[in-house]
Amino acid sequence: MLYFIVPLRSRQSAVNWDKVVYDFNLTLKSILNQTDPDCRVIIACTDIPDHPADERLGIIEVPVNYQ
């Protein structure tokens, strides 16, 4: 099994959150279209963006302290 780990910047640190989410979804689409369907994607993020539902996705919420 192949694991992909995708870190995602927080909404607060992004200049353009919509662009971040757009690029993130393109990345997911590319990963999930692998020829071997036996893969998993782990997303590490503070803010969970809209994304396609897929049983291969796992989300780890990472708290950030902006002090």
Side-chain angles (χ1 to χ4, degrees):
M1 181 175 298
L2 182 61
Y3 283 85
F4 294 90
I5 300 172
V6 180
L8 186 66
R9 71 181 316 137
S10 69
R11 181 187 301 258
Q12 186 174 349
S13 72
V15 173
N16 183 342
W17 178 249
D18 292 332
K19 174 72 171 144
V20 170
V21 172
Y22 176 79
D23 290 345
F24 167 73
N25 281 305
L26 285 179
T27 301
L28 280 183
K29 180 179 178 183
S30 176
I31 292 171
L32 295 173
N33 282 328
Q34 298 297 311
T35 56
D36 182 1
D38 193 22
C39 69
R40 300 289 180 264
V41 182
I42 300 170
I43 304 158
C45 59
T46 300
D47 303 297
I48 302 173
D50 290 335
H51 61 281
D54 194 294
E55 67 276 354
R56 296 173 287 175
L57 298 179
I59 297 176
I60 299 173
E61 291 187 64
V62 181
V64 175
N65 187 354
Y66 291 102
Q67 290 185 3

